[in-house]
Every structure is written in structure tokens, then in C-alpha cells.
Amino acid sequence: MTLINRIEINPDIMLGKPVVRGTRIPVELILRKLSERASEADFLDAFSQLTPEDIQAAILYAEVMKDMKMKDLSREKFRAIFLFLY
């Protein structure tokens, strides 16, 4: 699975917030915990369904969104931009 496919935006899951696919774990939570100095090992222990690649995908998603300065980006546009850049 590519990094882009690890992040899902679905209006029926967590009110459309970006989450790790197959979970209800928002990208926002991952970024917040990392900013609070949680280690990857701590995070993986707390959320056993996550992988290191899921954490990388969350970080990369945030980087792309910040760089593109787009908040209302559809999944298709995000995918196209992400695949073009990476």
C-alpha cells in the first residue's frame, strides 16, 4: 500500500476528518501527539493497529496540505498532487 492510500477522507468517518484508513484515528491526533514529543514506539504501543508507515503518511499528508495551502481539497485532487510530488 502506498502512503497516499493510508489516509482516508470519508464524511461518514469522524465527520470527514482525515484518518488512517481502516481506523478512526485522525491524522490530527497523530500530529498532536508527535508535537507533544510522543515517540513512534509510544504511539505504536498505544495504537496497536498503526504501523510506522501510517505515521509517515500522516506527517506527509500534513506537509502536502501545508505546502499547498488548500483546506478544501478533494481526495482526487489530493491524490493527483501527492502522486505528482512524491
Side-chain angles (χ1 to χ4, degrees), residues 41-86:
D42 292 338
F43 215 88
L44 296 174
D45 286 342
F47 298 93
S48 61
Q49 66 269 46
L50 291 182
T51 66
E53 292 79 13
D54 294 329
I55 295 170
Q56 288 177 325
I59 294 168
L60 196 51
Y61 176 86
E63 288 176 5
V64 170
M65 292 303 290
K66 181 181 175 236
D67 289 345
M68 300 307 296
K69 297 185 187 224
M70 295 181 183
K71 297 195 187 242
D72 296 323
L73 192 63
S74 72
R75 176 134 177 98
E76 292 75 27
K77 286 182 182 177
F78 173 74
R79 183 180 179 84
I81 292 167
F82 187 92
L83 292 175
F84 176 76
L85 293 176
Y86 299 96

Side-chain angles (χ1 to χ4, degrees), residues 23-41:
T23 75
R24 298 179 63 80
I25 301 172
V27 168
E28 174 186 14
L29 173 67
I30 295 170
L31 298 174
R32 187 175 70 242
K33 291 296 185 186
L34 291 173
S35 75
E36 294 169 356
R37 306 265 186 204
S39 71
E40 183 177 284

